[in-house]
Amino acid sequence: SEDSGKYTCDNGNEQTTATLTVKAAPVVFVKALHDLEVQEGGTAHLSCEVSKPDVPVEWKKGTSVICSSQKCSIKQEGKVHTLVIHNLNRADA
């Protein structure tokens, strides 16, 4: 989108100008989440990949937003987003 703007061709006697508008491509999932089975007390790693780097995502369990805590850690490395849930118990399913 930073390439959007007015561009001009000038031959010394005349000019012609055009406006270029660059529309942002939608962010899509390149790698989706997969189901996991983990033993109680274990650690779950859920990862997904989006089509653009540094795009914020929101992790949810049902309709509740998950935030980083001692129980859950959220990581982002470029296009890959990971949720790690520690010390799993039945309530985490």
Side-chain angles (χ1 to χ4, degrees), residues 29-50:
F29 286 102
V30 175
K31 180 182 170 194
L33 292 174
H34 295 285
D35 294 343
L36 292 176
E37 283 189 29
V38 181
Q39 290 292 321
E40 192 170 13
T43 301
H45 294 261
L46 297 166
S47 290
C48 61
E49 183 178 345
V50 293

Side-chain angles (χ1 to χ4, degrees), residues 21-72:
T21 304
V22 179
K23 296 180 180 180
V27 177
V28 296
F29 286 102
V30 175
K31 180 182 170 194
L33 292 174
H34 295 285
D35 294 343
L36 292 176
E37 283 189 29
V38 181
Q39 290 292 321
E40 192 170 13
T43 301
H45 294 261
L46 297 166
S47 290
C48 61
E49 183 178 345
V50 293
S51 58
K52 292 184 180 182
D54 304 319
V55 173
V57 302
E58 189 173 65
W59 287 94
K60 295 181 178 181
K61 179 184 178 196
T63 58
S64 299
V65 175
I66 299 171
C67 298
S68 284
S69 64
Q70 286 183 327
K71 179 74 173 172
C72 298

Side-chain angles (χ1 to χ4, degrees), residues 11-25:
N11 70 8
N13 294 320
E14 295 181 303
Q15 292 181 343
T16 182
T17 303
T19 300
L20 172 64
T21 304
V22 179
K23 296 180 180 180

